[in-house]
Amino acid sequence: GGTATLNFTRTGGFTGGLTIAASGAPAGLTVEVPTTPVTGTSATITVRPAATVAAGTYPITLRVSGTGVPDQTVTLNVTVTA
């Protein structure tokens, strides 16, 4: 497994919580995002591949949303090695 840090740039005085959702992971690849809204400027994303996940690179979409601000998406490329 491994981790990645997702950094946020807050503009316009926005201080509200941000919710992160992950999609696109293949079966056996667990992507853990914070379960409560993030109020800081970064969040840790944890990735845990099962032994059954084939080696390769997998694009995971992370969607960040907050009340009153547009949703943002970013692609996290997760590389699984044998």
Side-chain angles (χ1 to χ4, degrees), residues 3-82:
T3 61
T5 301
L6 182 61
N7 294 305
F8 310 108
T9 300
R10 293 173 174 267
T11 59
F14 179 76
T15 59
L18 297 170
T19 302
I20 305 168
S23 62
L29 185 62
T30 302
V31 180
E32 299 173 355
V33 298
T35 56
T36 58
V38 176
T39 56
T41 57
S42 67
T44 299
I45 311 301
T46 302
V47 179
R48 301 182 196 283
T52 56
V53 177
T57 299
Y58 301 94
I60 308 300
T61 300
L62 300 175
R63 178 176 297 279
V64 181
S65 59
T67 302
V69 294
D71 288 3
Q72 299 290 316
T73 59
V74 63
T75 300
L76 173 66
N77 289 309
V78 175
T79 301
V80 176
T81 57

